[in-house]
Structure formats: C-alpha cells, structure tokens
Amino acid sequence: MVEKRQLLYEGKAKKIYQTDNPDYLWVEYKDDATAFDGKKKGTIADKGYYNNQISAILFDWLKQKGIDNHFVKLLGDREQLVKALEIIPVEVIARNIAAGSLAKRLGMEEGTELPKPVLEFCYKSDELGDPMINEYHIDALELATIDQMNQIKKQAWEINKLLVDYFKEKGILLVDFKLEFGVHRGQVLLGDEISPDTCRFWDAETKEKLDKDRFRRDMGRVEDAYREILRRVKGEVD
Ligand code: UDP
C-alpha cells in the first residue's frame, strides 16, 4: 500500500502528491479546465473522473503494446499512481488531420487529412505560451539530448500509429494530440495524460467534436463528449 504525502505541485488540471515511495507520485485529476494559455477558465463536470479513467485505460493498453510509460495503477475515481518522472520540457504534438493552430498557421481548412502524419515540438513554458521550437533549439537550450529526442520521436510515431488504429475501431478519428515524456531512473518514459483535454477526437461518421474544443469554442455538451470517449474506450459501443 502506497501512502499519500504532501502536495508537490498543483497544475491546471491535476494535483500531484508525493508518496512514501520516492519512485511514485499520486495524481489527482481536477474538473478545472483552461484554454488559450489560461485566459479562459472554467470547470467541466466530472472531467477529473473521465480523464483519469480514459488515460488509465489508454496507458495500460499502450503498455501492453510495448510502449512502457509512467502509469502504475488506478487509486480511485479521480486518482492514479504513476512513476515519478523528471519531465522533459518539450510538448510533442502528433497530427493526422489539419486542425487548431496548424490549420491557422498553414492556411489549411480544418479537417483536411495530412498526406503524412506530422510531429511538432513546443517549449513547455506558460510564461512564453508554449512556443513551437525545433530540434536545434531543443539541443541548444539543452531541453533534451539528441539521444533522448531520438527515443521520443520513435515512441511518438509508434504511439500515433497504435492510437489511430485503436480509435478507428471505436469509430473515432484521432485528429491530433499532445504527449509529454520524462526520465525515470535513466529511462525515457511517456508521462502526463492522454485524454479529451490533450487530443482532438472526432466521431468518424458525423465528424462531431468529442474533446476540449467544445469548451474552447463554447460549443456546449462538453461533459457529454468526455463521457462518450470513456464509453467508447471501455468498448461500450452500440
Ligand atoms: N494540446 C495540449 N496542450 C497544449 C497545446 C495543445 O494538450 O498546451 C493539444 C490539443 O488539445 C490538440 C493538439 O495538442 O489536440 C494540437 O493543439 P494545437 O497546436 O492545434 O493548439 P490549440 O489549437 O489547441 O491551441
């Protein structure tokens, strides 16, 4: 039995607690939601529950597919135990269909399928608004080593391939998503979460948005979207 100790960090969507074991952290998912670099704030009813469950299922599945990661086990409705990572301050974004900032930046219509998937990197910095950077910046600023980046890219491509197929079977298009990696006992491991907060999910038939864009764009029925994603990853498809 792991014991919960003092609060280590409170982020926008999660609280992280130490445990009696320095190798493990206790994560509590919150209902708070933010967008546009924290300029838009709100809550999504039971988001903490949905994201905790969805992320646990996806990380567990990825582990079975050979992608080792920080997830250890669920501790409750909104809580999970993870391996303590030293987070690499680089957000890795994988994209399959043009949307959000890519659609805007490149003048592409949202929904245009990319001929090939794309990876992007952003510097994880709230003050700077997570600016996009390339591997030369990452090397020069010593955010990660070249060897770590090679491992990160290899895993990110593999995760994208696995998740695109996984969600296709559940009638969902995986438009794009964000990953974070960290180092645990010298090993580069996938961390953070994979949820409707960090992915764009569209219903494959209706193209209905089933993710945080409903909150960002005030589309309504936000909680329903999160509930629907949990239902689909649990295999509760009609
Ligand atoms: N994303 C994220 N956290 C961020 C930025 C982006 O989880 O700080 C996710 C976002 O949900 C989407 C993908 O990364 O699935 C690509 O986001 P984009 O660059 O289009 O930015 P956005 O339009 O969300 O500002």
Side-chain angles (χ1 to χ4, degrees), residues 12 35-37 91-95 99-105 110 120 122 124 126 129-130 132 174-180 192-193 195-201 211-213 216-217:
K12 285 172 273 190
F36 311 119
D37 297 324
E91 296 192 339
V92 179
I93 294 175
R95 300 178 179 274
S101 68
L102 177 132
K104 210 166 156 186
R105 190 166 4 99
E110 192 160 80
E120 291 173 358
C122 294
K124 205 169 140 59
D126 283 340
D130 300 343
M132 187 150 100
L174 179 60
V175 174
D176 56 32
F177 59 101
K178 186 257 303 181
L179 298 172
E180 292 185 24
D192 196 44
E193 65 180 290
S195 72
D197 269 12
T198 64
C199 303
R200 285 196 170 93
F201 295 124
D211 56 57
K212 195 172 154 187
D213 271 348
R216 293 188 189 100
R217 304 178 188 187

